[in-house]
Amino acid sequence: WVLRQRQVLDSTADKNNKKLWSQLIATVDQCTLCSLHESRTQTVFGVGRRDADLLIIGEAPGAEEDRKGEPFVGRAGQLLDAMLASVGFIRNDVYIANILKCRPPNNRDPLPNEVELCEPYLKTQLSIINPKLIVALGRVSACTILKTKESLKNLRNQTFQYQGIDLLVTYHPAALLRNPNFKKPAWEDFQMIRDKYLIQD
Ligand code: URA
């Protein structure tokens, strides 16, 4: 009986989450809270499993992402896929989202008011996905959500908390494209992430 009750509760929670999730998608899709809606082709909500153990957070969509409506589909995204594949994952095993859901013109950094208006969407995504771990890609993404000005060097190899969930910081794949020397330490970060958080024992 207890097991049955648990299953009923789980499926009710899942139905609620499903409903919240589709409401959130619709809200983001129609969002006009900041001026980025004027220049976007479309919003970029996120991609992957709604119950993923790992949530990967980037900064904001670039030109390709704005065109396709999916995060990390340009050159940096292909490298992110390769990094994930090197530790045995595909993008649909995890969840990938950006802090901003719309592309900033000329790929400039997110502005504080854009972050203030858009971050609640990310927080809602996070509360529904409830992952074991968040990985922030790059200094801008990490500093924006952690409200800090630390260097990437200081941010790596530390465990932070965001909305009560462990958060680690690694290189942005675009940085790896600019400087291939960062590939090895980034790969080591992903191996550590897999071993520490994603392999069930
Ligand atoms: N860079 C990001 O931070 N996010 C994307 O979706 C693409 C490139």
Side-chain angles (χ1 to χ4, degrees):
W1 185 83
V2 172
L3 191 62
R4 174 82 195 115
Q5 280 310 98
R6 163 109 304 166
Q7 284 165 348
V8 170
L9 284 177
D10 283 353
S11 86
T12 312
D14 191 56
K15 269 189 204 132
N16 287 342
N17 273 352
K18 237 186 213 158
K19 193 161 164 222
L20 270 177
W21 193 251
S22 39
Q23 282 168 347
L24 185 65
I25 290 175
T27 308
V28 168
D29 198 42
Q30 291 154 29
C31 182
T32 53
L33 291 178
C34 82
S35 62
L36 294 183
H37 79 275
E38 290 162 13
S39 51
R40 75 181 176 218
T41 306
Q42 58 191 315
T43 57
V44 179
F45 184 78
V47 68
R49 291 175 66 112
R50 187 164 46 83
D51 60 352
D53 285 341
L54 173 62
L55 172 63
I56 295 179
I57 303 182
E59 210 176 300
E64 280 286 300
E65 290 76 22
D66 172 74
R67 253 195 303 278
K68 298 219 172 108
E70 185 173 326
F72 286 100
V73 287
R75 276 186 71 219
Q78 284 160 22
L79 187 51
L80 176 62
D81 285 343
M83 297 302 293
L84 286 171
S86 75
V87 289
F89 293 103
I90 57 168
R91 61 170 49 214
N92 280 326
D93 292 331
V94 302
Y95 198 85
I96 307 174
N98 285 306
I99 300 170
L100 295 190
K101 307 305 188 214
C102 296
R103 181 190 182 208
N106 306 315
N107 300 337
R108 63 154 170 74
D109 287 351
L111 298 176
N113 80 305
E114 293 161 356
V115 173
E116 196 184 321
L117 292 165
C118 209
E119 193 178 0
Y121 296 140
L122 178 65
K123 288 184 176 167
T124 310
Q125 285 177 305
L126 187 56
S127 70
I128 295 172
I129 298 169
N130 193 24
K132 288 189 191 153
L133 178 71
I134 301 164
V135 173
L137 297 178
R139 183 175 178 271
V140 175
S141 158
C143 288
T144 304
I145 54 176
L146 296 172
K147 317 290 180 216
T148 173
K149 293 200 162 126
E150 288 284 340
S151 64
L152 185 79
K153 189 165 170 276
N154 286 343
L155 293 167
R156 274 185 73 230
N157 306 319
Q158 282 193 63
T159 307
F160 298 91
Q161 295 270 306
Y162 180 65
Q163 302 290 106
I165 294 171
D166 282 3
L167 180 148
L168 300 175
V169 183
T170 188
Y171 297 95
H172 193 288
L176 307 184
L177 289 172
R178 284 193 299 270
N179 188 342
N181 290 336
F182 294 149
K183 280 189 186 173
K184 188 162 180 280
W187 181 64
E188 286 165 356
D189 286 348
F190 272 98
Q191 279 192 315
M192 184 275 286
I193 287 161
R194 177 197 58 190
D195 295 345
K196 187 158 173 218
Y197 288 91
L198 305 174
I199 299 288
Q200 310 281 349
D201 47 17

